[in-house]
Amino acid sequence: TFTLSTLRKGERIAVVLQSCYWYGRVFVNGVEVGTTKGGYLPARFDITEVVHGGDNTIAVIVDNRQETMGVFKRLHAFYWNWGGLLQEVSIERHPEVAVLGIRAIGSVEGRLRIWITAVNATQEARMHKGTVEVFDGKGKRAGDARAFTIKIKPGGEVDGPLEMFVPHPDL
C-alpha cells in the first residue's frame, strides 16, 4: 500500500519492478495493469489512470513454475529458477514527456554510445534538448561537452544512440 498526494496536471505515475521472477501479473487498486516475464530487466507500468490521491494498493502475482518459462524452461537444469520480487518496487512521478535515464557504453578507442530511455504520454512527438559531459575519475572533464536534441515519439521511443568521442579514455 502507498499513499499518493493529489496528481498534478499533466503528471504521470508509474510502478517499476526491478526484478520479478519469472512471470508476474501486476494489479493496482484491483485493476490489472500488465504482465512481466523473465526478471532480468525492469518492468515499468503506467498506472496514472488507476491511482488516486490517498491510499492505493499494489498486488503482484508471481509464478516461477517451469510452465511459465516458455523456451527458457529447457535451461532449468542449469540454474535455479528464482521466484518472487528480488529487487526494489518503486513508484515514479514525472511529466507526461520526460527523460527517465541513460545507458552508455564506451570503447577503448574513445567511442561513446548513449541510449536514452524516455516516456511520452502525448499523441505527438516532442523535442528535448540536453548536454552530455563526461568526466574522468578525478572530476576533470574528459573531452568536449556535446549538445544534443532528441525526438521523443509518442510511447517514448527515442532514435539513437547518441554518439560522441572521448579522447584517451581511462579504462
Side-chain angles (χ1 to χ4, degrees):
T1 302
F2 67 99
T3 303
L4 188 65
S5 63
T6 306
L7 275 69
R8 296 178 282 274
K9 185 177 192 252
E11 181 178 54
R12 305 303 292 183
I13 309 294
V15 61
V16 180
L17 284 62
Q18 290 298 324
S19 179
C20 178
Y21 274 93
W22 178 263
Y23 175 78
R25 292 176 61 198
V26 182
F27 298 81
V28 176
N29 295 328
V31 177
E32 188 167 3
V33 295
T35 61
T36 179
K37 278 188 179 180
Y40 296 106
L41 296 172
R44 186 175 188 287
F45 305 94
D46 187 317
I47 60 173
T48 307
E49 305 305 322
V50 297
V51 295
H52 52 266
D55 291 339
N56 295 269
T57 302
I58 299 172
V60 182
I61 299 172
V62 182
D63 186 347
N64 73 329
R65 293 174 298 159
Q66 287 184 15
E67 296 82 41
T68 67
M69 296 178 67
V71 297
F72 293 100
K73 70 182 174 184
R74 290 180 284 171
L75 302 174
H76 192 283
F78 299 109
Y79 72 99
W80 177 258
N81 183 28
W82 302 103
L85 298 172
L86 301 183
Q87 294 183 29
E88 303 84 34
V89 175
S90 59
I91 304 297
E92 294 180 349
R93 297 179 83 140
H94 55 77
E96 59 189 0
V97 179
V99 171
L100 300 178
I102 64 168
R103 181 174 53 96
I105 298 176
S107 71
V108 68
E109 296 84 16
R111 180 178 176 199
L112 183 64
R113 300 178 77 191
I114 302 166
W115 286 266
I116 296 175
T117 302
V119 293
N120 181 350
T122 72
Q123 298 299 313
E124 56 191 57
R126 299 285 176 90
M127 303 307 284
H128 181 80
K129 293 180 181 185
T131 303
V132 175
E133 294 179 285
V134 178
F135 295 88
D136 66 17
K138 297 177 182 129
K140 181 180 174 191
R141 190 179 314 170
D144 296 329
R146 167 138 188 259
F148 65 90
T149 301
I150 58 169
K151 180 191 287 186
I152 304 173
K153 299 174 186 172
E157 182 183 346
V158 176
D159 292 333
L162 300 173
E163 295 192 17
M164 63 187 293
F165 179 74
V166 177
H168 315 291
D170 290 334
L171 303 180

